[in-house]
Amino acid sequence: KYEDILRDIRSERLVRQPVPLSPYRPVSSTTFYEFIYGLLIPLLLFMPAIISAGLVIDLITEEYQQQTLDTLRSTPVTLTELVLGKNLSCLLLIPAESGLWLLLLSVNGIRVSSLPEILIHVTLTSAALILLGTIIALHFRDRTRAQFVFSTLAVILLLVTLSFPYNPLHIIALLASGSPAPAHGPVLVAWLCINLVLMMVIRRQIMSMETHR
């Protein structure tokens, strides 16, 4: 063939052996460790938070769009109890789903440390997203607009949060790998304060709705 003839003619130009190529590149234990604890576990634990926040928006806005809120308000249940019940139902999914993911990881031989601390941290962080979704849903009362605004704010808040050294994803990675996380306590207190502020905003929204009813 022409390629063989050309190769024979130019064989004298080869002054050294070509670089040997390996058919595969083995994955080091460090790469696997970084993927599991730095990416996979934080992603699995915080994905339910995004889902629950979107769910609470649907639960609230559908009451307005389907015009079933007035029927519910005719019962002894107050609007505050109604909104609180929807928030709690979405919030209880967080530790249940996160605990299930951690259990499945343990069954597959992946050791996860500090399980109680991780679940508390994930629950408090997720509560802030759920409360934010509630505020947006009560303000817009339209599913499409509320979901769009929440998605946009979620992306912005994620980028801002990741700019801090001890962000939730970093702390979860440290706790899961068994490394010390000295900022865990102060961060939990900060999230608790944020949740209290968001609850006060929701309370003010409900009071305003009751006044203009």
Side-chain angles (χ1 to χ4, degrees), residues 52 55-56 59 82-95 97 130:
S52 295
L55 177 60
V56 77
L59 292 176
L82 178 64
V83 174
L84 180 61
K86 293 181 182 296
N87 277 262
L88 286 178
S89 62
C90 295
L91 183 61
L92 290 178
L93 294 175
I94 303 299
E97 294 183 32
I130 294 174

Side-chain angles (χ1 to χ4, degrees), residues 17 24 36 38 40 46 48-49 63 92 94 96 101 103 105 111 126-127 133 141 154 169 171 194 203 206 211:
Q17 292 294 329
Y24 65 93
I36 293 296
L40 181 61
F46 281 106
E63 299 289 355
L92 290 178
I94 303 299
W101 279 120
L103 177 61
L105 290 173
R111 179 178 175 271
S126 304
R141 306 180 186 181
L169 298 179
I171 292 179
I194 292 174
R203 177 60 179 168
I206 294 176
T211 303

Side-chain angles (χ1 to χ4, degrees), residues 87 126-136 195-196 198-199 202:
N87 277 262
S126 304
L129 288 176
I130 294 174
L131 293 173
L132 178 62
T134 302
I135 294 173
I136 295 174
N195 289 331
L196 291 176
L198 293 176
M199 291 177 64
I202 294 175

Side-chain angles (χ1 to χ4, degrees), residues 67-84:
Q67 299 181 354
T68 55
L69 184 61
D70 291 335
T71 303
L72 293 175
R73 296 178 71 176
S74 64
T75 64
V77 179
T78 64
L79 183 58
T80 302
E81 294 173 342
L82 178 64
V83 174
L84 180 61

Side-chain angles (χ1 to χ4, degrees), residues 13 24 27 30 37 49 99 142-143 154 167 200 203:
R13 301 180 185 180
Y24 65 93
V27 179
T30 303
Y37 293 99
D142 179 77
R143 179 179 180 273
N167 57 75
M200 293 175 60
R203 177 60 179 168

Side-chain angles (χ1 to χ4, degrees), residues 4-201:
D4 296 332
I5 298 175
L6 188 62
R7 188 179 297 107
D8 293 337
I9 295 175
R10 296 180 178 178
S11 60
E12 297 180 356
R13 301 180 185 180
L14 296 176
V15 296
R16 60 182 179 180
Q17 292 294 329
V19 177
L21 298 178
S22 176
Y24 65 93
R25 186 179 64 180
V27 179
S28 63
S29 58
T30 303
T31 304
F32 178 78
Y33 182 89
E34 292 176 350
F35 171 74
I36 293 296
Y37 293 99
L39 179 63
L40 181 61
I41 292 179
L43 182 62
L44 290 177
L45 295 183
F46 281 106
M47 186 59 66
I50 303 296
I51 297 174
S52 295
L55 177 60
V56 77
I57 292 176
D58 290 343
L59 292 176
I60 294 175
T61 54
E62 287 297 323
E63 299 289 355
Y64 287 100
Q65 293 183 294
Q66 299 298 328
Q67 299 181 354
T68 55
L69 184 61
D70 291 335
T71 303
L72 293 175
R73 296 178 71 176
S74 64
T75 64
V77 179
T78 64
L79 183 58
T80 302
E81 294 173 342
L82 178 64
V83 174
L84 180 61
K86 293 181 182 296
N87 277 262
L88 286 178
S89 62
C90 295
L91 183 61
L92 290 178
L93 294 175
I94 303 299
E97 294 183 32
S98 300
L100 181 60
W101 279 120
L102 294 176
L103 177 61
L104 292 175
L105 290 173
S106 300
V107 170
N108 284 275
I110 299 175
R111 179 178 175 271
V112 181
S113 304
S114 308
L115 294 181
E117 291 83 355
I118 290 176
L119 291 178
I120 293 174
H121 193 90
V122 170
T123 302
L124 285 179
T125 307
S126 304
L129 288 176
I130 294 174
L131 293 173
L132 178 62
T134 302
I135 294 173
I136 295 174
L138 290 174
H139 178 74
F140 289 99
R141 306 180 186 181
D142 179 77
R143 179 179 180 273
T144 303
R145 290 191 297 170
Q147 290 286 7
F148 173 76
V149 173
F150 173 77
S151 301
T152 305
L153 285 179
V155 173
I156 296 175
L157 291 176
L158 177 62
L159 295 176
V160 172
T161 304
L162 290 178
S163 64
F164 293 94
Y166 288 103
N167 57 75
L169 298 179
H170 184 203
I171 292 179
I172 292 298
L174 292 176
L175 292 174
S177 62
S179 302
H184 175 60
V187 171
L188 283 182
V189 174
W191 281 114
L192 182 60
C193 294
I194 292 174
N195 289 331
L196 291 176
V197 172
L198 293 176
M199 291 177 64
M200 293 175 60
V201 174

